[in-house]
Structure formats: structure tokens, C-alpha cells
Amino acid sequence: AQSVTQPDIHITVSEGASLELRCNYSYGATPYLFWYVQSPGQGLQLLLKYFSGDTLVQGIKGFEAEFKRSQSSFNLRKPSVHWSDAAEYFCAVGRGYGGSQGNLIFGKGTKLSVKP
Amino acid sequence: ETGVTQTPRHLVMGMTNKKSLKCEQHLGHNAMYWYKQSAKKPLELMFVYNFKEQTENNSVPSRFSPECPNSSHLFLHLHTLQPEDSALYLCASSLGGSETDTQYFGPGTRLTVL
């Protein structure tokens, strides 16, 4: 069965430091991969997505993610974190039901805290 | 403005109450979703509607009853809930029902069952 693992429950980084959030997936075929962000009291917002092609994907707010098939990973990165990036981040994988149903499997999330 | 609104934002109910959650999307989308977000658990898909037709029921107990009268509105009717049903209920919409369609989420309804 498909699954998504985010190994880090909580990460704290200093403002201006670089960030990498880890995501590993379990899926037999080429997955559809997503990163969402959830700020306190808000719904989820899509940061970026990967379907095919270039394995380095650029997203909004200066985020990028790299798909590595050999490692079954889709890690999220940002070169310099801002205090406003403090939020919870969710990795998700599409279940590949022939495109007729938008069913995503989400990881448990990584909460990011930013120190001034 | 996210384009997807949910009311109420907070709801406290007893186990014998009947209440409804409402979701409205102003994005011209055709697919709508209900998710349950519990503490320390992954986001769980509950229901999917595509062009007003239910296309997914992810083994959700019958005490949750969805309704989609048109592509812009989605309801979740609640009755005889249990305390473990306390969670954040998120609504989302997408242009179509494909996994490649970006889902846009509302801010959620925080439900507490006493």
C-alpha cells in the first residue's frame, strides 16, 4: 500500500538558515508528489508538485523540492528561512487511480519553528 | 481570501446533537472533498464529490453524512458523534477530480464532541 513518511515531527531553525524537510514515499509506479503548508488556523496551501520531467521542482515562497527515485524521496528545501515560514508542512502522494479521483495520501507533517 | 470558505469555524456539540458543516467554493471547480485532521495523525480523506456525484467514501461511519447539492456547495451532516470524532474538518476543491488537479483548502471547522 502507498504510504508517506515524514521522519521529523518538529524542526527548529534560525532565521536566515537553510532548511530541508524530509519526505519518503512508498509507491510502485511513478508517483505524483506534493508539498503543502498549513499556517496556524488556516487550511493547507500547495507549495509545489511533481508529476514528471525535471526532478528539481520550484514552488512558491522560495521553496524547491527534488525527486529522487532511487531514494524514494521528495525533500523540500529553502536556502534562507524567514520567520513567516513557521508552519506545518505536509508531503503527499497521489494514489494513481487512473486520474479519475483526486485521492492523496498525506504524511503526518513536520512542524517548523523559526528562531529569531 | 482562499476561495474556499467553511462555516462554522468552531463547533461544540454533544453526542446526541445533530449539526451540519458547510463548505462553499468560489473557484468554479467541479470536485469537492472532505478531510479529517486529527492530532498526530495524517490527514484522512473522507469523501470526494465530482460533478455532484460521490466518487469516494473512505469507509467513513454512517454518523457522517455528506451532501453536495451543486458543484459550489458541500455539507457534512453530523449526528450521534463520538468524542473521538473531535478534529479539524477541512474542505477542499479542485477543478476536476484528477490527482494532478491542485486542491484548494478552506480554513477548516474545529469540531469538539463532548
Side-chain angles (χ1 to χ4, degrees):
Chain A
Q2 297 88 347
S3 65
V4 177
T5 302
Q6 293 180 248
D8 304 305
I9 297 173
H10 191 184
I11 285 182
T12 300
V13 300
S14 298
E15 190 169 16
S18 63
L19 171 70
E20 182 169 33
L21 301 181
R22 296 183 290 165
C23 173
N24 294 97
Y25 66 89
S26 171
Y27 188 64
T30 300
Y32 300 145
L33 295 162
F34 307 80
W35 274 102
Y36 282 85
V37 61
Q38 185 178 30
S39 298
Q42 303 291 321
L44 279 68
Q45 180 185 22
L46 181 70
L47 285 175
L48 48 79
K49 57 188 176 183
Y50 171 80
F51 298 151
S52 64
D54 192 347
T55 56
L56 185 62
V57 181
Q58 301 298 320
I60 63 172
K61 305 184 180 187
F63 285 92
E64 66 178 25
E66 186 171 12
F67 171 59
K68 293 186 177 180
R69 183 188 301 276
S70 61
Q71 298 177 19
S72 297
S73 69
F74 188 57
N75 294 347
L76 183 71
R77 301 193 295 248
K78 186 169 186 178
S80 178
V81 169
H82 188 262
W83 64 267
S84 60
D85 294 324
E88 191 153 19
Y89 292 80
F90 294 91
C91 182
V93 61
R95 290 199 281 185
Y97 281 174
S100 62
Q101 297 173 20
N103 296 348
L104 302 181
I105 297 177
F106 285 82
K108 291 185 178 182
T110 297
K111 184 176 181 181
L112 174 66
S113 298
V114 180
K115 292 189 300 185
Chain B
E1 180 60 56
T2 64
V4 179
T5 58
Q6 292 186 241
T7 54
R9 293 293 307 274
H10 300 271
L11 179 63
V12 179
M13 60 187 290
M15 289 192 288
T16 59
N17 292 156
K18 291 185 179 180
K19 296 287 184 182
S20 295
L21 309 184
K22 179 183 177 182
C23 175
E24 184 174 1
Q25 58 94 2
H26 311 273
L27 301 170
H29 290 168
N30 298 302
M32 297 188 78
Y33 312 77
W34 278 118
Y35 287 89
K36 178 182 179 182
Q37 187 176 28
S38 305
K40 304 189 188 306
K41 292 178 68 175
L43 203 64
E44 302 171 67
L45 178 68
M46 300 175 72
F47 302 103
V48 181
Y49 278 81
N50 203 2
F51 290 94
K52 301 187 298 177
E53 297 297 320
Q54 187 179 122
T55 57
E56 178 85 3
N57 177 338
N58 200 20
S59 302
V60 180
S62 59
R63 58 186 184 269
F64 295 92
S65 174
E67 178 189 2
C68 188
N70 54 61
S71 293
S72 299
H73 294 86
L74 184 65
F75 295 89
L76 188 62
H77 303 299
L78 316 171
H79 64 97
T80 59
L81 294 192
Q82 304 298 311
E84 59 265 28
D85 297 322
S86 299
L88 182 68
Y89 288 85
L90 292 166
C91 173
S93 71
S94 64
L95 183 60
S98 169
E99 294 162 309
T100 58
D101 292 324
T102 297
Q103 294 185 24
Y104 294 81
F105 285 79
T109 295
R110 174 70 62 185
L111 174 66
T112 302
V113 181
L114 302 177

